[in-house]
Amino acid sequence: MPDPAPPGGERGPRHGLRVLPPDRLSYGMQLPVQSQSTLYAEPWEAAAGPAELLEIARSADRLGFAYLATCDHVAVPVRLAATMGTVWYDPVATLAFLAAVTERTLLMSHVAVAGLRHPLITAKQYATVDRLSGGRLVLGVGAGHVEEEFAALGADFGRRGAVLDETIDALKAALGPGEFPEFHGERFSFHGLGQAPRPARTPRPPLWVGGSSAAALRRAALRGDGWLSQGDRRDQLPSRVARLRRLRAEAGKDGPFAIGAITEPLYVGTPGWDTGPRTLTGRPEALAESLRAYRAIGADQIQVRFRCRDLPELLDQMAGFADAVAPYLDH
């Protein structure tokens, strides 16, 4: 059975930037329904909505999933709509919605396109989520990739990497313990302005950085509390992890640092339907043996996605994974 303690540690106030247990491979999942790219969404998700989101979140919380994650896009241009879809629930609203029906699972943005918004706005929104959830926020950020989205919002697409670097630094200040945070940078500057409620977690919620380019890996290693894979293949991960560790060692960074990986699609058991060529299927022990390779590569957490034809099948897959696969992940 799943550990009754919350993934972030003991019940009550949350302290510190380490939110995953250091001696085990944690597992979380991207929330279905909330984003409906044709690259991964199942057909049944198109007709799903708030009721399904709540049922999935309650199940994940009960079954011991370390986190639920949401994606971020404000608007999708016509040229990308056929692939990306236009269904992208707002991550802040969605995580706040889920905070009310969960108690243990972490609530994560994977990822928020932080350069689209002023860091004080982002800090206000996500500090509120952390307060409402009792300190369960993980703020994952990334640079973004949709030029039209940046243009419509008046954000600088060409310099989005540099903007994100400064935004991360500003967010660390704005989400810290001080009621009147202070930051002075090239693009953003603030002092003497109070923001409350403050985050429940101290000294601040952890900030994980997504992306696999050389610049993104450097950003994660030097500015982040963790790294979020954006779908790297297994054979790409060892070099990514080695680079992260080398950059942190060279910079003298020795604090907690979480490393994540997105697994292949999963189906626990033998499916009676075509689940696709990349899907990992089979007995729990065999699936766990395959997934343990991520721990050997250096991952602290894996993000799983289950192939399923409807909500009941998804819930069955989640339960099967938690009950039969997860106990073998660290053996």
Side-chain angles (χ1 to χ4, degrees), residues 228-247:
L228 294 168
S229 168
Q230 295 295 88
D232 303 86
R233 299 188 311 270
R234 285 197 195 203
D235 61 352
Q236 296 174 314
L237 285 170
S239 63
R240 307 273 199 259
V241 174
R243 179 171 174 79
L244 287 164
R245 288 176 171 167
R246 183 173 65 254
L247 288 168

Side-chain angles (χ1 to χ4, degrees), residues 172-309:
K172 288 181 179 179
L175 291 169
E179 182 181 356
F180 294 87
E182 183 170 347
F183 178 79
H184 300 285
E186 180 182 341
R187 298 166 183 81
F188 308 114
S189 183
F190 48 84
H191 71 281
L193 296 170
Q195 282 196 329
R198 303 307 301 157
R201 179 175 289 277
T202 58
R204 58 174 172 79
L207 203 155
W208 295 355
V209 179
S212 299
S213 67
L217 291 172
R218 175 173 291 277
R219 182 177 302 120
L222 302 186
R223 286 183 158 86
D225 307 306
W227 176 64
L228 294 168
S229 168
Q230 295 295 88
D232 303 86
R233 299 188 311 270
R234 285 197 195 203
D235 61 352
Q236 296 174 314
L237 285 170
S239 63
R240 307 273 199 259
V241 174
R243 179 171 174 79
L244 287 164
R245 288 176 171 167
R246 183 173 65 254
L247 288 168
R248 288 181 61 78
E250 291 172 352
K253 301 280 187 180
D254 58 0
F257 189 79
I259 293 177
I262 299 176
T263 75
E264 300 85 350
L266 303 177
Y267 192 93
V268 182
T270 303
W273 55 288
D274 183 6
T275 56
R278 293 187 61 251
T279 305
L280 298 180
T281 68
R283 298 174 62 242
E285 297 91 335
L287 288 178
E289 181 179 4
S290 178
L291 296 175
R292 283 198 299 269
Y294 287 103
R295 179 67 167 174
I297 290 170
D300 300 289
Q301 59 92 358
I302 51 173
Q303 184 175 122
V304 297
R305 177 177 287 274
F306 302 101
R307 293 303 319 275
C308 53
R309 293 163 292 182

Side-chain angles (χ1 to χ4, degrees), residues 19-297:
V19 294
L20 299 175
D23 56 349
R24 54 191 281 199
L25 181 62
S26 298
Y27 56 95
M29 63 184 290
Q30 192 82 20
L31 188 68
V33 180
Q34 180 262 339
S35 66
Q36 296 189 26
S37 167
T38 59
L39 297 177
Y40 50 73
E42 302 286 359
W44 66 268
E45 295 179 46
E52 288 80 4
L53 289 172
L54 292 178
E55 195 162 356
I56 294 165
R58 290 188 178 107
S59 294
D61 196 53
R62 183 180 67 253
L63 293 168
F65 281 71
Y67 64 80
L68 289 167
T70 60
C71 303
D72 180 26
H73 278 291
V74 174
V76 176
V78 171
R79 72 176 176 90
L80 296 175
T83 301
M84 292 179 60
T86 58
V87 177
W88 295 82
Y89 284 48
D90 178 76
V92 177
T94 305
L95 294 177
F97 181 60
L98 302 183
V101 299
T102 56
E103 296 180 351
R104 303 186 301 161
T105 187
L106 299 168
L107 303 171
M108 181 167 74
S109 57
H110 186 173
V111 290
V113 185
L116 293 177
R117 306 165 181 90
H118 192 286
L120 283 180
I121 294 175
T122 299
K124 166 62 77 173
Q125 293 173 320
Y126 283 100
T128 302
V129 171
D130 194 65
R131 174 61 62 176
L132 292 173
S133 67
R136 291 185 285 129
L137 172 73
V138 176
L139 178 52
V141 298
H145 66 94
V146 180
E147 185 171 2
E148 295 94 329
E149 189 175 34
F150 277 72
L153 298 175
D156 189 343
F157 182 80
R159 292 187 53 78
R160 64 193 183 281
V163 171
L164 179 56
D165 286 345
E166 186 172 318
T167 297
I168 291 172
D169 294 342
L171 284 171
K172 288 181 179 179
L175 291 169
E179 182 181 356
F180 294 87
E182 183 170 347
F183 178 79
H184 300 285
E186 180 182 341
R187 298 166 183 81
F188 308 114
S189 183
F190 48 84
H191 71 281
L193 296 170
Q195 282 196 329
R198 303 307 301 157
R201 179 175 289 277
T202 58
R204 58 174 172 79
L207 203 155
W208 295 355
V209 179
S212 299
S213 67
L217 291 172
R218 175 173 291 277
R219 182 177 302 120
L222 302 186
R223 286 183 158 86
D225 307 306
W227 176 64
L228 294 168
S229 168
Q230 295 295 88
D232 303 86
R233 299 188 311 270
R234 285 197 195 203
D235 61 352
Q236 296 174 314
L237 285 170
S239 63
R240 307 273 199 259
V241 174
R243 179 171 174 79
L244 287 164
R245 288 176 171 167
R246 183 173 65 254
L247 288 168
R248 288 181 61 78
E250 291 172 352
K253 301 280 187 180
D254 58 0
F257 189 79
I259 293 177
I262 299 176
T263 75
E264 300 85 350
L266 303 177
Y267 192 93
V268 182
T270 303
W273 55 288
D274 183 6
T275 56
R278 293 187 61 251
T279 305
L280 298 180
T281 68
R283 298 174 62 242
E285 297 91 335
L287 288 178
E289 181 179 4
S290 178
L291 296 175
R292 283 198 299 269
Y294 287 103
R295 179 67 167 174
I297 290 170

